Amino acid sequence: MTVIHESVWPAAFGPERRGTLPPVDGHTEPKLTPTIADVLSSAVAVLGVPGVENTLGLPEARRVCVILVDGLGLRLLKKRAAYAPFLKSVIDSNRPLDAAFPSTTATSLASFGTGLPPGQHGLAGYDAVDPVKRRTVNQLSGWPDDLIPDEWQPHRTLFERASEVVNVTTVSKSKFEESSLTRAALRGGNFVAAGSLTARAGAALEALKAPASLVYFYWDEIDKAGHRFGSESDKWTYQLEELDSGLKRFIARVPANTLVLLTADHGMVDIPASQRIDFSEFPELLEGIELTAGEPRCVQLHFSQDATAEVRQQTIAAWRERFTKQAVVMERHEVIARGLLGENPDPRVLGRFGDVFVLCHAQIGLYDGRRVAPHAFDVIGQHGSLTAAERLIPLLTLKKP
Ligand SMILES: [Zn+2]
């Protein structure tokens, strides 16, 4: 029998909402919190797409528009609600959801687009390991030519399924149209490229003219401002104000019988420059490690196949010792047992997830300085871990049908 090391759940992660270690008798199913995987699946269920459940109990509507604001965590939104009077006016409609795990765009968008947990769609983080070719692959951009998005993520997306029943339109920036992540996570339907918020709102309104339609509206300016200037910065607040006034104008023009929802893919925490740590400077943390992946808030370590059990345990112990008050170190089986990868993880994709996860709860970011670009150390706002600021995301009803 495998003995599962049970890490102490840090207070910064909030109550453990994702289920607990499996009970000894194996009978009780852990009850999992709704996540971003429930949003689009519930929306397409409302539109009559067969085989999908409306797990969020959304109201009946002929048209649904889902606005996804990259990086707009629930904590950040609540803290700055005074700058967003329109969103504040609908905040009571909020239903808190969890981002996918790790709390990062590639993983959360894949859960959004497929309705599946990370353990099934297999987009394992910002950087993920391709276990066949033994390499680390960035999941947002720069996919190698031989990594085929439709093979890497073969499940049918909700857009593909919904296209058989209603008109499906993605409204986003042109650079995302051909991206491998879009292909893997959000393929299907029409893509309308539009730049400014006004242009995107106009394109979404045009698509909502169809009698039965699903519109996905993606907005990434807040996340960009947060990474570059921090979520506490004036530039972040400015982006929130812009979004808020743009959404107010948009909603006033949305046709009747349309449900408009707003959600996000993750939140963010600001990491001081002195706490952005290059872990590759500590040789004891690298013993037996072949590949590193994930992101600074959620490092994923992959042992070389010939690393002995003893070396593995020594390295894990070294990480626990060095970051004892700042991060939780979990082996993959504990991450699975805690339900973080969702129900029924698929053995075919599990090798993409780290053998070991280092989850920061203090305000630190951990980098492999040998591998990441130097400018990665300039990033202020970060996410990936399980603190409430990173993990909790909003689900707001901007307009009822
Ligand atoms: Zn981001």
Side-chain angles (χ1 to χ4, degrees):
M1 192 192 130
T2 333
V3 179
I4 293 175
H5 172 97
E6 191 173 350
S7 307
V8 175
W9 195 254
F13 288 177
E16 194 180 353
R17 305 166 68 207
R18 293 173 182 264
T20 49
L21 293 172
V24 198
D25 62 12
H27 284 310
T28 335
E29 284 285 316
K31 183 89 194 96
L32 301 178
T33 309
T35 73
I36 189 165
D38 293 279
V39 177
L40 194 61
S41 51
S42 294
V44 305
V46 162
L47 295 170
V49 175
V52 193
E53 228 185 298
N54 179 5
T55 49
L56 295 175
L58 300 178
E60 288 298 311
R62 305 244 327 265
R63 309 175 188 89
V64 181
C65 175
V66 183
I67 300 164
L68 194 145
V69 183
D70 199 319
L72 186 61
L74 182 59
R75 285 277 170 104
L76 295 175
L77 175 61
K78 284 191 167 166
K79 219 159 109 187
R80 301 295 184 74
Y83 296 94
F86 173 63
L87 293 178
K88 195 179 174 189
S89 72
V90 292
I91 200 100
D92 287 343
S93 70
N94 181 59
R95 188 132 180 223
L97 302 176
D98 275 352
F101 174 80
S103 55
T104 196
T105 297
T107 311
S108 265
L109 284 189
S111 283
F112 176 80
T114 60
L116 297 172
Q120 289 180 35
H121 63 61
L123 272 79
Y126 174 72
D127 285 324
V129 161
D130 169 358
V132 177
K133 298 222 158 104
R134 307 302 299 169
R135 58 182 173 179
T136 299
V137 181
N138 185 271
Q139 300 288 284
L140 279 194
S141 56
W143 285 43
D145 289 343
D146 61 348
L147 195 76
I148 315 296
D150 297 49
E151 292 172 5
W152 188 247
Q153 196 304 98
H155 301 279
R156 292 186 79 208
T157 68
L158 293 164
F159 291 157
E160 288 178 309
R161 296 168 72 175
S163 293
E164 291 167 4
V165 180
V166 294
N167 219 302
V168 176
T169 308
T170 292
V171 180
S172 186
K173 280 187 186 158
S174 60
K175 67 168 179 178
F176 296 122
E177 181 166 7
E178 302 293 327
S179 91
S180 296
L181 176 62
T182 300
R183 184 73 211 158
L186 301 162
R187 60 182 173 258
N190 312 306
F191 191 103
V192 179
S196 69
L197 185 55
T198 314
R200 261 176 263 182
L205 288 169
E206 193 57 39
L208 287 170
K209 284 185 180 158
S213 49
L214 172 67
V215 174
Y216 162 60
F217 183 143
Y218 175 71
W219 190 249
D220 68 339
E221 324 297 287
I222 284 186
D223 185 65
K224 274 185 4 200
H227 284 306
R228 182 136 178 239
F229 305 108
S231 61
E232 309 274 343
S233 67
D234 292 347
K235 293 200 165 89
W236 192 95
T237 308
Y238 171 77
Q239 288 298 341
L240 179 66
E241 289 171 333
E242 287 288 291
L243 175 77
D244 191 71
S245 54
L247 288 178
K248 188 181 176 194
R249 290 192 301 272
F250 170 67
I251 292 299
R253 296 171 62 197
V254 165
N257 219 331
T258 307
L259 171 66
V260 184
L261 302 170
L262 178 143
T263 191
D265 54 349
H266 55 75
M268 193 173 277
V269 284
D270 292 357
I271 308 300
S274 63
Q275 298 304 309
R276 297 175 212 147
I277 300 162
D278 181 356
F279 65 76
S280 71
E281 286 172 5
F282 307 108
E284 74 276 16
L285 303 180
L286 303 173
E287 275 308 312
I289 303 288
E290 179 191 355
L291 295 164
T292 66
E295 40 239 301
R297 295 284 298 165
C298 179
V299 175
Q300 300 185 41
L301 305 167
H302 292 252
F303 286 113
S304 59
Q305 278 147 338
D306 57 7
T308 63
E310 199 191 341
V311 164
R312 290 171 191 235
Q313 286 316 312
Q314 270 169 12
T315 302
I316 291 170
W319 278 90
R320 287 201 173 114
E321 198 182 311
R322 177 156 295 275
F323 300 110
T324 183
K325 292 214 167 74
Q326 298 166 304
V328 176
V329 181
M330 291 188 204
E331 290 181 68
R332 188 195 294 152
H333 55 71
E334 188 183 357
V335 167
I336 294 169
R338 286 189 182 269
L340 293 170
L341 302 185
E343 285 164 359
N344 309 315
D346 182 345
R348 289 169 300 183
V349 302
L350 282 181
R352 301 178 192 176
F353 294 89
D355 295 311
V356 178
F357 286 71
V358 183
L359 298 167
C360 300
H361 52 83
Q363 277 176 289
I364 58 168
L366 304 172
Y367 297 80
D368 185 345
R370 302 164 303 173
R371 182 173 66 78
V372 301
H375 64 74
F377 284 89
D378 300 334
V379 172
I380 300 174
Q382 302 202 14
H383 49 83
S385 190
L386 289 172
T387 66
E390 293 161 276
R391 188 190 75 205
L392 297 183
I393 52 172
L395 179 66
L396 302 177
T397 303
L398 303 193
K399 186 184 180 303
K400 290 186 193 133

